[in-house]
């Protein structure tokens, strides 16, 4: 929006967006026949929302200058690296305090 591009230019309809729109329409129609309507409509809504956000984001990024794209890519790689490090080096059950892995629902695991 800041670069003078309006909201309409981010959602300009092309063949790919039209095909994803047809897929979303199919999912919404299919959700009416589902046994679990709420879950099916929720999944169809999230599919449509992610597709629209992805297309808008890709078109907005295409207008960014190269320096801003490099900074965004660096930030993405740093964030992904930190996330991978947290997953790989999270504390194990053996080396962590017992309160870290206790739950409020202990009776459910014992079958009581």
């Amino acid at each position: 929006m800041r670069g003078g591009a309006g909201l309409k230019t981010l959602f300009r309809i092309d063949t790919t967006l039209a095909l994803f729109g047809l897929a979303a329409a199919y999912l919404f129609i299919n959700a009416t026949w589902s046994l679990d309507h709420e879950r099916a409509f929720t999944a169809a809504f999230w599919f449509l929302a992610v597709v629209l956000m992805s297309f808008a984001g890709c078109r907005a990024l295409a207008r960014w200058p190269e320096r801003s794209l490099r900074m965004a890519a660096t930030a993405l790689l740093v964030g992904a690296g930190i996330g991978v490090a947290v997953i790989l080096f999270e504390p194990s059950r053996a080396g962590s305090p017992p309160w870290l892995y206790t739950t409020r629902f202990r009776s459910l695991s014992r079958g009581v």
Side-chain angles (χ1 to χ4, degrees), residues 45 73 102:
F45 167 76
T102 57

Side-chain angles (χ1 to χ4, degrees), residues 2-82:
R2 188 174 30 170
L7 192 61
K8 287 183 180 180
T9 60
L10 295 180
F11 292 109
R12 189 179 62 246
I13 295 177
D14 61 354
T15 306
T16 310
L17 187 58
L19 288 175
F20 275 115
L22 286 174
Y26 170 76
L27 288 176
F28 277 107
I29 291 171
N30 203 12
T32 61
W33 300 328
S34 175
L35 293 177
D36 189 359
H37 293 295
E38 182 179 351
R39 186 173 180 181
F41 277 114
T42 303
F45 167 76
W46 279 111
F47 174 79
L48 182 64
V50 167
V51 166
L52 288 178
M53 287 187 289
S54 298
F55 270 88
C58 288
R59 291 202 175 141
L61 283 175
R63 292 178 174 84
W64 279 18
E66 186 177 349
R67 183 170 185 270
S68 296
L69 286 174
R70 288 183 190 272
M71 288 172 39
T74 303
L76 176 72
L77 290 175
V78 167
I82 290 171

